[in-house]
Amino acid sequence: MDLVTRLEELKQERNAVILAHNYQIDEVQAHADFVGDSFELSRKAAATDAEVVVFCGVQFMAESAAILSPGKTVLLPEARAGCPLADTITPESLREKKAAYPQAKVVCYVNSSAAVKAESDVCCTSSNAVQVVEALDAEEILFVPDANLADYVAKRTRKKIIPWNGHCITHYRVTAEDVRKARAARPEAVVVVHPECRPEVVALADHVASTSGIIRFAGETTALEIIVGTEMGILYRLERECPDKKFFFLSPGLVCRNMKMTTLEKVVRVLETMSNVVRVPEDTRRQAYASLARMLEIA
Ligand code: 13P
């Protein structure tokens, strides 16, 4: 039996839904029930009535699904798929920083562990970070762990943003020089980047958005050539949803190794064996749930 037939059979048998991030490899996106950005995926995970959620993404995303849906079994096809940005902060280091800014509220980007979410007041994603910060009744915000997203927010609010010094190593590879070169090579093109890019890259872009926001922008712009500053997995949806447009990337290094670890074989394997179950200790889960639920209420 071929892999796709086996996958469909297992999905029925287990009452499973397959969620995939926009950075996943083409084959995984093609066979997922839903593909989206971090915010859309967290909403789907909270709303689904499937008993099993196979989360094709990285650890923190699957953890968020487990936090939001305690009655469901969440499977991560590749247990080693982590996030170097999420690894820049621990609950202990966050507690130390909180002690230095006792009046500040903590906004935590979802690219963080369950334990860090549990230590925070509210979560955010790249699509709602400004909205979440604006909604809080505090003038000082400790924004963790992405320094570039913190800078993006700081430029769009009057509140004082205290950043954490974490970065996404993939987005960090894009430089202002890359944007200048790409624009010189294609003067008719528009440039759209993710807010995890460096501030000088964000400043040179025509539009800044989450991964699904980039896909929406590509559909709406009248430009026929689009230069993209985010992970290359996004090309699958861009080409399918905008077949009349041409896409170029700001750097050949825009590949997240962790996002590429998930394959269709691994999705079938975890469904067959019900292995790689994502578990979050109940006290951490409850506290992290409060931070994620606040975000879902605000956004
Ligand atoms: P979004 O899909 O929310 O834009 O986030 C991208 C990302 O950081 C994945 O790690």
Side-chain angles (χ1 to χ4, degrees), residues 184-238:
R186 304 186 188 280
E188 303 290 311
V190 289
V191 176
V192 55
V193 304
H194 195 276
E196 286 180 20
C197 287
R198 299 166 189 244
E200 60 273 26
V201 169
V202 167
L204 289 172
D206 297 302
H207 190 68
V208 186
S210 75
T211 51
S212 288
I214 289 173
I215 296 164
R216 272 192 299 276
F217 172 80
E220 287 161 9
T221 179
T222 53
L224 293 175
E225 294 191 337
I226 302 166
I227 299 167
V228 181
T230 197
E231 211 274 346
M232 287 181 179
I234 199 171
L235 188 61
Y236 179 73
R237 282 189 61 194
L238 285 172

Side-chain angles (χ1 to χ4, degrees), residues 21-23 36-39 58 60-61 83 109 111 125-127 171 194 196 209-212 259:
H21 188 266
N22 289 322
Y23 294 158
D37 69 8
S38 305
F39 182 62
V58 294
F60 77 80
M61 295 179 171
C83 173
Y109 189 33
N111 300 37
T125 70
S126 59
S127 66
H171 287 97
H194 195 276
E196 286 180 20
S210 75
T211 51
S212 288
M259 282 285 181

Side-chain angles (χ1 to χ4, degrees), residues 9 39 72 77 87 103 132 136 195 221 233 284:
E9 210 178 69
F39 182 62
K72 295 176 185 123
D87 293 342
Q103 69 292 1
V132 167
L136 289 182
T221 179
T284 306

Side-chain angles (χ1 to χ4, degrees), residues 1-276:
M1 187 186 299
D2 72 27
L3 207 57
V4 176
T5 312
R6 181 68 186 131
L7 178 64
E8 289 308 318
E9 210 178 69
L10 282 163
K11 269 172 55 182
Q12 297 284 324
E13 224 171 88
R14 306 284 194 211
N15 185 15
V17 68
I18 306 201
L19 305 183
H21 188 266
N22 289 322
Y23 294 158
Q24 289 290 293
I25 63 168
D26 295 2
E27 196 186 28
V28 169
Q29 292 194 43
H31 295 100
D33 296 298
F34 181 79
V35 184
D37 69 8
S38 305
F39 182 62
E40 294 167 336
L41 290 168
S42 62
R43 287 224 313 214
K44 281 278 169 195
T48 180
D49 52 14
E51 287 168 75
V52 175
V53 176
V54 183
F55 208 109
C56 303
V58 294
Q59 180 82 41
F60 77 80
M61 295 179 171
E63 245 182 28
S64 292
I67 291 164
L68 289 164
S69 302
K72 295 176 185 123
T73 304
V74 179
L75 308 176
L76 181 62
E78 171 52 71
R80 292 168 305 169
C83 173
L85 168 61
D87 293 342
T88 63
I89 186 163
T90 61
E92 294 75 27
S93 56
L94 176 54
R95 275 197 290 274
E96 261 175 47
K97 189 92 167 176
K98 277 165 70 172
Y101 297 93
Q103 69 292 1
K105 288 232 162 129
V106 182
V107 176
C108 166
Y109 189 33
V110 287
N111 300 37
S112 53
S113 68
V116 167
K117 288 182 176 78
E119 276 293 327
S120 304
D121 292 297
V122 58
C123 291
C124 75
T125 70
S126 59
S127 66
N128 59 33
V130 176
Q131 198 186 350
V132 167
V133 164
E134 286 290 293
L136 289 182
D137 64 345
E139 287 311 304
E140 277 193 28
I141 308 290
L142 194 48
F143 193 99
V144 303
D146 191 301
N148 291 343
L149 185 61
D151 181 86
Y152 172 81
V153 173
K155 288 179 172 134
R156 286 157 183 80
T157 178
R158 296 162 72 99
K159 297 190 179 187
K160 182 178 175 198
I161 305 292
I162 303 142
W164 188 266
N165 194 25
H167 296 97
C168 161
I169 53 172
T170 306
H171 287 97
Y172 201 74
R173 293 189 185 118
V174 182
T175 64
E177 191 50 26
D178 291 330
V179 184
R180 280 191 279 270
K181 276 191 189 150
R183 277 206 194 275
R186 304 186 188 280
E188 303 290 311
V190 289
V191 176
V192 55
V193 304
H194 195 276
E196 286 180 20
C197 287
R198 299 166 189 244
E200 60 273 26
V201 169
V202 167
L204 289 172
D206 297 302
H207 190 68
V208 186
S210 75
T211 51
S212 288
I214 289 173
I215 296 164
R216 272 192 299 276
F217 172 80
E220 287 161 9
T221 179
T222 53
L224 293 175
E225 294 191 337
I226 302 166
I227 299 167
V228 181
T230 197
E231 211 274 346
M232 287 181 179
I234 199 171
L235 188 61
Y236 179 73
R237 282 189 61 194
L238 285 172
E239 287 188 331
R240 284 174 74 94
E241 294 177 31
C242 311
D244 52 331
K245 298 188 177 168
K246 283 210 168 82
F247 298 96
F248 306 90
F249 283 85
L250 279 171
S251 158
L254 280 165
V255 177
C256 171
R257 206 175 49 83
N258 287 283
M259 282 285 181
K260 302 304 182 224
M261 286 180 173
T262 304
T263 60
L264 213 52
E265 281 84 357
K266 291 179 189 176
V267 174
V268 169
R269 195 188 314 144
V270 289
L271 271 173
E272 234 155 25
T273 56
M274 292 301 282
S275 50
N276 294 4

